[in-house]
Amino acid sequence: MQDDADAVAAPPEHTRGLPRIADIARLSGVSTATVDRVLNHRPGVRPATVQRVMKAAAELDYIPESDLGAALGPKPVRLAFLLPDGTNRYLTRLGQLIRQSEAALAPLGIRAQVEFIKSFNPDLLARSLLQHWRKVDGVAFMALEHPAVREAVNELAARNVPTVTLISDVQNCRRAAYVGLDNRAAGRTAGYLFARFLGGRAGKVAMIAGSLSYRAHEDRELGFLNVLKEMAPAIEVVGLREAHDDEAKSYRQTRTLLSHHPDLAGIYTIGGGAEGVARALKEARRERDVVFIGHGFTPETRSLLIDGTMEAVITQDPRSALMSCAAVFANLRAGREAMHDVEPPRIEVIFRENLPPAAPP
């Protein structure tokens, strides 16, 4: 007769000692090779399978519960910021902030990278957008108004990669949100300042834009012209020149303007390149009698405000712009409306008398 001890069923293999990979494979229903890949963090395993293996490993006490929580937690959202390269100091500063953003973005579950691409080239921008769809979970970019860019945005949306336009928008496409100023209002603000600084008297004012391929620059121009027509019809706008946000081109354009219009009363830079304009004004000894207003508060434009070359700088805080973009992508991941609890940026006007504290180097 079989004794009672012989009648007791053998315990499962994993209870006779420490659990083995074979035990985890059996409980999770996968091969030992798959378990090995998951536990050693090697690629090639679907997220759902990773979760099943990690849960089995925790249940068998192969890994601590804390490791399970870390493994099953949401992966950081990978964001790419595409910015135009060149000498625009504001955009350079924004790029630096993005590179230094790991600690600020970590609470939102976001990891960001920045790439500078050739400015004012819509086909290159469109290609860059499409090249990122396998690499990232979302793209923020300074848009050019062009069919190729709209098509790229729509294709990314079809592949579930949301895009956010930053500083300059593009219309009639499936971008998720726009983070930037009301540029028509920004241009109107510049026009109002010129009307006040010039006292409504007759005078010539020139505009230097980055490119009217940027909707932001086009809207600023329209707002500027509308206000001057309303408030200071005696002011003559002597033309619009494109300098592609380049300091050297802005310098040459300003020298030409001063040569053709010795009685020039003001210059409005719609984009970047303020340093080039300032150099030409100083060389001509016109920095005290030409009203100079521009966009983008940087250490360089700060210095131009202090020495009196610039009267005012219209800007938005780059750090706030970065965090607003991150908030939009966090909302999208959580299934909320893109702009939920995201405040639109405010137009800031900086004068010499209200300079904020200098930013640390």
Side-chain angles (χ1 to χ4, degrees):
M1 181 177 173
Q2 190 176 36
D3 63 24
D4 292 343
D6 291 336
V8 176
E13 183 180 9
H14 71 266
T15 65
R16 285 180 284 199
L18 293 176
R20 302 180 307 168
I21 286 179
D23 302 321
I24 300 171
R26 187 179 307 109
L27 185 59
S28 58
V30 300
S31 68
T32 55
T34 298
V35 172
D36 182 72
R37 283 199 297 271
V38 171
L39 296 178
N40 289 286
H41 308 291
R42 289 196 286 267
V45 184
R46 292 181 301 173
T49 303
V50 171
Q51 291 192 16
R52 198 161 69 246
V53 169
M54 294 301 288
K55 286 179 179 178
E59 185 176 333
L60 295 171
D61 293 327
Y62 192 91
I63 61 171
E65 289 291 335
S66 59
D67 285 5
L68 176 64
L72 300 185
K75 292 183 178 179
V77 176
R78 300 164 302 164
L79 297 187
F81 284 78
L82 304 183
L83 300 177
D85 68 0
T87 60
N88 187 312
R89 306 296 181 90
Y90 179 88
L91 295 177
T92 300
R93 174 61 177 154
L94 177 58
Q96 292 171 345
L97 290 173
I98 294 167
R99 290 193 177 106
Q100 300 165 1
S101 66
E102 183 175 352
L105 298 183
L108 295 173
I110 288 173
R111 185 177 299 151
Q113 65 186 62
V114 62
E115 179 179 332
F116 286 90
I117 61 176
K118 186 175 180 180
S119 308
F120 314 108
N121 186 326
D123 292 322
L124 178 58
L125 175 57
R127 287 199 300 273
S128 295
L129 286 166
L130 293 174
Q131 287 168 0
H132 280 79
W133 81 271
R134 290 184 182 275
K135 305 175 185 177
V136 297
D137 305 304
V139 182
F141 70 107
M142 188 168 168
L144 289 165
E145 188 68 64
H146 192 275
V149 176
R150 288 193 289 270
E151 190 67 17
V153 169
N154 290 339
E155 188 165 341
L156 286 176
R159 296 174 177 178
N160 295 317
V161 179
T163 57
V164 170
T165 52
L166 176 63
I167 301 173
S168 190
D169 198 12
V170 60
Q171 298 292 303
N172 301 317
C173 64
R174 296 174 61 191
R175 59 102 170 112
Y178 164 62
V179 173
L181 298 178
D182 177 340
N183 285 294
R184 188 72 64 91
R188 288 182 65 87
T189 300
Y192 174 83
L193 291 172
F194 272 99
R196 299 297 294 176
F197 276 115
L198 296 176
R201 66 181 184 273
K204 294 179 180 178
V205 172
M207 293 183 291
I208 299 177
S211 171
L212 295 185
S213 295
Y214 284 126
R215 188 179 185 88
H217 292 191
E218 182 181 16
D219 284 348
R220 290 172 190 174
E221 178 203 6
L222 292 175
F224 180 74
L225 294 175
N226 286 343
V227 164
L228 289 186
K229 184 177 180 180
E230 296 167 8
M231 291 185 61
I235 293 178
E236 178 187 358
V237 178
V238 295
L240 172 67
R241 295 166 181 262
E242 292 184 319
H244 291 172
D245 286 354
D246 183 82
E247 292 177 18
K249 289 181 181 179
S250 296
Y251 168 77
R252 293 193 296 270
Q253 296 280 22
T254 304
R255 284 182 60 90
T256 300
L257 285 166
L258 294 172
S259 174
H260 291 174
H261 305 283
D263 55 345
L264 191 69
I267 296 177
Y268 172 38
T269 53
I270 296 177
E275 297 78 9
V277 174
R279 181 158 66 97
L281 288 175
K282 291 177 179 180
E283 287 181 2
R285 301 184 184 277
R286 298 291 307 280
E287 72 271 21
R288 290 292 179 269
D289 59 276
V290 173
V291 175
F292 177 22
I293 296 172
H295 286 262
F297 185 66
T298 65
E300 292 74 24
T301 54
R302 177 191 178 88
S303 296
L304 296 176
L305 288 170
I306 291 173
D307 71 18
T309 303
M310 293 189 80
E311 273 61 47
V313 174
I314 301 166
T315 193
Q316 70 178 99
D317 177 37
R319 203 177 298 272
S320 295
L322 167 60
M323 297 308 295
S324 292
C325 282
V328 167
F329 285 108
N331 282 338
L332 293 173
R333 183 181 204 178
R336 296 186 291 263
E337 290 291 328
M339 297 301 290
H340 175 75
D341 280 345
V342 179
E343 292 188 11
R346 298 176 59 185
I347 296 173
E348 300 179 43
V349 183
I350 310 296
F351 303 96
R352 181 168 63 176
E353 302 305 325
N354 71 338
L355 284 169

